[in-house]
Amino acid sequence: MQKMLHIDPAKCTGCLSCEMACSYENYGVFATAKSRIKVFDFHHTGRKVPYTCTQCDEAWCLHACPVEAITVDKVTGAKVVNETTCVGCKVCTIACPFGTINYVQETGKVQKCDLCGGEPACAEACPTAAITFIDANWTGLSKMQQWADKLGNQPAAA
Amino acid sequence: MAWAGKILRVNLTAGTCKAEPLNMTWARQYLGSRGLGSKYLVEEVDPKVDPLSPDNKIIWATGPLTGTMASTGGRYTVITKGPLTGAIACSNSGGYWGAELKAAGWDMIIFEGKSPQPAYLYINDDVAELRDASHLWGKSVWQTEEILKTSLQDPLLRISSIGRAGENQVLFACVVNDLHRAAGRSGVGAVAGSKNLKAIAVRGTKGVGNVRDPKAFMAATRAAKKVLADNAVTGQGLPKYGTQVLMNVINEIGALPTRNHRDVQFEGAKDISAEAMLTPRPADGKTHLVTNQACFGCTIACGRISKIDETHFSVQNKPQYWGASGGLEYEAAWALGAANGVNDLEALQYANLICNEHGMDPISFGATVGAVMELYEIGVLTKEQIGIEAPFGSARALCELADMTANGIGFGKEIGLGSKRLCEKYGHPELSMSVKGQEFPAYDSRGIQGMGLAYATSNRGACHLRGYTVASEVLGIPVKTDPLTTEGKPELVKAFQDATAAFDSAGICIFTSFAWTLADVAPQVAAACGEEFTVEELERIGERIWNLERTFNNAAGFTAKDDSLPARLLTEPAKTGPAKGLVNKLPEMLPKYYQVRGWDSEGRPTPETLARLDLG
């Protein structure tokens, strides 16, 4: 079963635990500036929205890479940057419609979410379950459940 | 070792920025943030200095856990000699700014002197430079943040700044970061204003990568987060209701100071409570509260984000206030509401927005308005003097006075002096509900006896964040004590004061202490900083910090007679509620407290006490 990161912005409090967990997992440092997941704070509405790579099946970044530095992890389905191959040309950063692959000045390579090899640190660190790692075929399950509950509470049609 | 090991010294007079190594001996003795910043201040500033003169210094300081994955590890403090009190001032804030400074590789910033023209400090990791802020002077906190992010083309900047209140040297002006988190009390913003220091814009990309034992640290922080999640207050009450969960509780027990402490229960409490914020309002069918919000690294998320009723008189034709914004928290709701007898929730939110926008402490502002309303009611102040009719309960007066005070208009200038100076000026010093010049927060010490002692002896004047015995006396944390008696309170106050100093200095939020004791904090600090940081060591550090602050205040001229309460609380019994008939029995507690502290009868630490705490 393949899993994916599922994000429920309504549950996000903006604590940035996910960003710290990401940077710690990948660089051994608590540094939100190095995180591959970002939380956006829309202060006029009060909404906080975590955002990261959704691991497209037909990934723009992967197809755009001229040196085939981005490959698919067969187990997790993640699109993974091979740092030894990456030449830092940044074409993938242009190709990605979502902005979730970015250049890192310090290494001269690009970085993106790789699902931490199947145990995403962001989801583990999220205190409110705004970020979960669930069955890729059933990301709509909790919404279905909520609506089913609502429907079940309606009086039966006459 | 979790500390960045580097501090920034900014001489505003000369316009220079200089990096210095952190004094690691002091770091181990005072931990960070409140304690360590206070140590630098005490070493470098004459206690008798005029707080608003260039000779005073002002320090922004983080703690060792700031910027780490410890829950609530995003705090910083602003430390200076306070203009409202003349005592040491140390105000703590959350949001994201503190973690950003730490991530840039700095433990603290010390500002000295006075800039010849408005200036702001720009930090990008190792780069630190003073820049011209002429274009920011006169701008609000919110505008300042917007202008800096836009003009520097960096939306990830974090800003800590003062608004017009700080520029105008309102004596309870605060420093605000991330739009609505504030280093709120004692007028630290006025000190920044007196130095022509408008803002600090920080971008930090380095992070914190030097905790001593990362594996142990992650295990300790994870275990501590579970304690917070499993606790009824930090796991359920605070995220759902915020600190406002207290409004009805404190009113019930007869300790909600009302109409300048004339009463201890407010008939309108339910209208301004957490429950009211969650109830759809008639005007638009929406609830006041939009969502909760966490500060950096916080797994509690008590912050309130609300939307004001757009049809309310205070914001008609003012769309800049219609968006979601910070508030109401309990202290602000009390000070702007019960303290003035105002039960209009939207008016309180408006006054709160003005406080955030222009950088004013809503506690001291609201409480000073309470004193003004009493002076109005007894005929000492008139409508002509104030500029508006100001009886208790007037939401219009509250909103108008907020605008006037923030902008330094008319009678607002006098409110900006705080209640002590204002009441003295009009011949009624007894009507200032303050200690050492700083107004009380939201707990009446006739109904919670220990708080009277905590207020009287707080090193920054009346304050709930220096020894929150409400936890024990009302909520039963860690053990229930009787709020109406004085027995055991000197020991209780000391224990809370010392522990609080340790929590504050670690760089975490004191609200964790609803669930955590130092036994939860010690493993995190030990894993981050060094094995020597046991519970006992943290208690010792806390006591050392308390005595350090005290020696500064004593040298500044404070004596035992300043460890007191207004006559109203000592002689006018509570009229209703469980505390009916009671006054605060401070005289029963104070001598014992001095004894427990190892101080002489004049409230001075004895040579033995100083030596025991390495302060000799």
Short mmCIF file of all heavy atoms in Angstrom, two decimals, chain A residues 24-45:
data_model
loop_
_atom_site.label_atom_id
_atom_site.label_comp_id
_atom_site.label_asym_id
_atom_site.label_seq_id
_atom_site.Cartn_x
_atom_site.Cartn_y
_atom_site.Cartn_z
N TYR A 24 15.51 18.82 11.02
CA TYR A 24 16.28 17.95 11.91
C TYR A 24 16.54 16.59 11.24
O TYR A 24 17.66 16.07 11.28
CB TYR A 24 15.54 17.77 13.24
CG TYR A 24 16.28 16.85 14.19
CD1 TYR A 24 17.45 17.28 14.82
CD2 TYR A 24 15.83 15.56 14.43
CE1 TYR A 24 18.15 16.45 15.67
CE2 TYR A 24 16.53 14.71 15.28
CZ TYR A 24 17.68 15.16 15.90
OH TYR A 24 18.38 14.32 16.74
N GLU A 25 15.51 16.05 10.60
CA GLU A 25 15.63 14.76 9.93
C GLU A 25 16.68 14.81 8.81
O GLU A 25 17.48 13.90 8.66
CB GLU A 25 14.26 14.37 9.36
CG GLU A 25 14.24 13.11 8.51
CD GLU A 25 14.33 11.83 9.34
OE1 GLU A 25 14.02 11.90 10.54
OE2 GLU A 25 14.71 10.79 8.77
N ASN A 26 16.66 15.90 8.06
CA ASN A 26 17.52 15.96 6.88
C ASN A 26 18.88 16.59 7.11
O ASN A 26 19.82 16.30 6.38
CB ASN A 26 16.78 16.71 5.76
CG ASN A 26 15.60 15.90 5.24
OD1 ASN A 26 15.78 14.81 4.72
ND2 ASN A 26 14.40 16.42 5.44
N TYR A 27 18.97 17.47 8.09
CA TYR A 27 20.24 18.18 8.30
C TYR A 27 20.73 18.13 9.74
O TYR A 27 21.76 18.72 10.06
CB TYR A 27 20.11 19.64 7.86
CG TYR A 27 19.73 19.79 6.41
CD1 TYR A 27 18.42 20.08 6.04
CD2 TYR A 27 20.67 19.63 5.39
CE1 TYR A 27 18.05 20.21 4.70
CE2 TYR A 27 20.33 19.75 4.05
CZ TYR A 27 19.01 20.05 3.72
OH TYR A 27 18.66 20.16 2.40
N GLY A 28 19.97 17.50 10.64
CA GLY A 28 20.40 17.41 12.04
C GLY A 28 20.38 18.75 12.75
O GLY A 28 21.13 18.96 13.70
N VAL A 29 19.54 19.65 12.29
CA VAL A 29 19.50 20.99 12.88
C VAL A 29 18.05 21.47 12.93
O VAL A 29 17.24 21.09 12.07
CB VAL A 29 20.41 21.95 12.05
CG1 VAL A 29 19.99 21.98 10.60
CG2 VAL A 29 20.44 23.34 12.63
N PHE A 30 17.70 22.23 13.97
CA PHE A 30 16.35 22.81 14.03
C PHE A 30 16.39 24.13 13.29
O PHE A 30 16.87 25.14 13.82
CB PHE A 30 15.92 23.02 15.48
CG PHE A 30 15.98 21.77 16.32
CD1 PHE A 30 16.88 21.67 17.37
CD2 PHE A 30 15.15 20.70 16.04
CE1 PHE A 30 16.93 20.51 18.15
CE2 PHE A 30 15.20 19.54 16.81
CZ PHE A 30 16.09 19.44 17.86
N ALA A 31 15.97 24.12 12.05
CA ALA A 31 16.06 25.33 11.23
C ALA A 31 14.92 25.35 10.23
O ALA A 31 14.95 24.65 9.22
CB ALA A 31 17.40 25.38 10.49
N THR A 32 13.91 26.15 10.53
CA THR A 32 12.74 26.19 9.65
C THR A 32 13.15 26.65 8.24
O THR A 32 12.49 26.29 7.27
CB THR A 32 11.67 27.14 10.21
OG1 THR A 32 12.26 28.43 10.43
CG2 THR A 32 11.13 26.63 11.54
N ALA A 33 14.25 27.41 8.15
CA ALA A 33 14.71 27.89 6.84
C ALA A 33 15.17 26.75 5.94
O ALA A 33 15.27 26.90 4.73
CB ALA A 33 15.85 28.90 7.03
N LYS A 34 15.47 25.60 6.53
CA LYS A 34 15.95 24.47 5.74
C LYS A 34 14.86 23.42 5.50
O LYS A 34 15.12 22.35 4.98
CB LYS A 34 17.14 23.81 6.45
CG LYS A 34 18.34 24.73 6.63
CD LYS A 34 19.51 23.98 7.26
CE LYS A 34 20.57 24.91 7.81
NZ LYS A 34 21.17 25.83 6.83
N SER A 35 13.64 23.73 5.90
CA SER A 35 12.56 22.75 5.82
C SER A 35 12.02 22.60 4.40
O SER A 35 11.99 23.56 3.63
CB SER A 35 11.43 23.17 6.75
OG SER A 35 10.32 22.32 6.57
N ARG A 36 11.58 21.40 4.09
CA ARG A 36 10.98 21.13 2.78
C ARG A 36 9.46 21.24 2.84
O ARG A 36 8.79 21.12 1.83
CB ARG A 36 11.39 19.74 2.33
CG ARG A 36 12.89 19.64 2.17
CD ARG A 36 13.38 18.20 2.10
NE ARG A 36 14.84 18.19 2.03
CZ ARG A 36 15.56 17.09 1.88
NH1 ARG A 36 14.95 15.91 1.79
NH2 ARG A 36 16.87 17.15 1.82
N ILE A 37 8.94 21.40 4.03
CA ILE A 37 7.51 21.68 4.17
C ILE A 37 7.41 23.08 4.77
O ILE A 37 8.21 23.45 5.63
CB ILE A 37 6.81 20.62 5.06
CG1 ILE A 37 5.29 20.87 5.12
CG2 ILE A 37 7.38 20.57 6.48
CD1 ILE A 37 4.50 19.68 5.68
N LYS A 38 6.50 23.90 4.28
CA LYS A 38 6.36 25.27 4.80
C LYS A 38 4.93 25.48 5.26
O LYS A 38 3.98 25.02 4.61
CB LYS A 38 6.67 26.31 3.72
CG LYS A 38 8.11 26.37 3.23
CD LYS A 38 9.15 26.61 4.31
CE LYS A 38 9.13 27.99 4.93
NZ LYS A 38 10.16 28.05 6.04
N VAL A 39 4.79 26.21 6.36
CA VAL A 39 3.46 26.57 6.83
C VAL A 39 3.21 28.03 6.48
O VAL A 39 4.03 28.89 6.82
CB VAL A 39 3.33 26.38 8.35
CG1 VAL A 39 1.95 26.81 8.83
CG2 VAL A 39 3.61 24.94 8.73
N PHE A 40 2.14 28.28 5.78
CA PHE A 40 1.79 29.65 5.41
C PHE A 40 0.71 30.18 6.33
O PHE A 40 -0.29 29.51 6.58
CB PHE A 40 1.36 29.70 3.94
CG PHE A 40 2.50 29.37 3.02
CD1 PHE A 40 2.77 28.06 2.66
CD2 PHE A 40 3.35 30.37 2.59
CE1 PHE A 40 3.86 27.74 1.86
CE2 PHE A 40 4.44 30.07 1.78
CZ PHE A 40 4.70 28.75 1.41
N ASP A 41 0.94 31.38 6.82
CA ASP A 41 0.04 32.00 7.79
C ASP A 41 -0.72 33.13 7.09
O ASP A 41 -0.13 34.16 6.76
CB ASP A 41 0.88 32.54 8.96
CG ASP A 41 0.01 33.07 10.09
OD1 ASP A 41 -1.22 33.20 9.89
OD2 ASP A 41 0.57 33.36 11.17
N PHE A 42 -1.97 32.89 6.81
CA PHE A 42 -2.78 33.93 6.17
C PHE A 42 -3.48 34.71 7.27
O PHE A 42 -4.59 34.36 7.70
CB PHE A 42 -3.78 33.29 5.20
CG PHE A 42 -3.10 32.54 4.09
CD1 PHE A 42 -2.82 31.19 4.22
CD2 PHE A 42 -2.70 33.19 2.93
CE1 PHE A 42 -2.16 30.49 3.22
CE2 PHE A 42 -2.03 32.50 1.92
CZ PHE A 42 -1.76 31.15 2.06
N HIS A 43 -2.78 35.73 7.78
CA HIS A 43 -3.25 36.30 9.03
C HIS A 43 -4.57 37.04 8.94
O HIS A 43 -5.26 37.17 9.93
CB HIS A 43 -2.16 37.12 9.72
CG HIS A 43 -1.61 38.23 8.89
ND1 HIS A 43 -2.23 39.42 8.81
CD2 HIS A 43 -0.50 38.30 8.12
CE1 HIS A 43 -1.53 40.20 8.01
NE2 HIS A 43 -0.48 39.56 7.57
N HIS A 44 -4.96 37.47 7.74
CA HIS A 44 -6.24 38.18 7.64
C HIS A 44 -7.45 37.26 7.80
O HIS A 44 -8.54 37.70 8.14
CB HIS A 44 -6.35 38.95 6.32
CG HIS A 44 -5.49 40.17 6.32
ND1 HIS A 44 -5.74 41.24 7.15
CD2 HIS A 44 -4.38 40.49 5.64
CE1 HIS A 44 -4.81 42.16 6.98
NE2 HIS A 44 -3.97 41.73 6.07
N THR A 45 -7.21 35.96 7.55
CA THR A 45 -8.31 35.01 7.73
C THR A 45 -8.07 34.09 8.93
O THR A 45 -8.98 33.38 9.35
CB THR A 45 -8.47 34.12 6.48
OG1 THR A 45 -7.25 33.42 6.26
CG2 THR A 45 -8.83 34.94 5.26
#
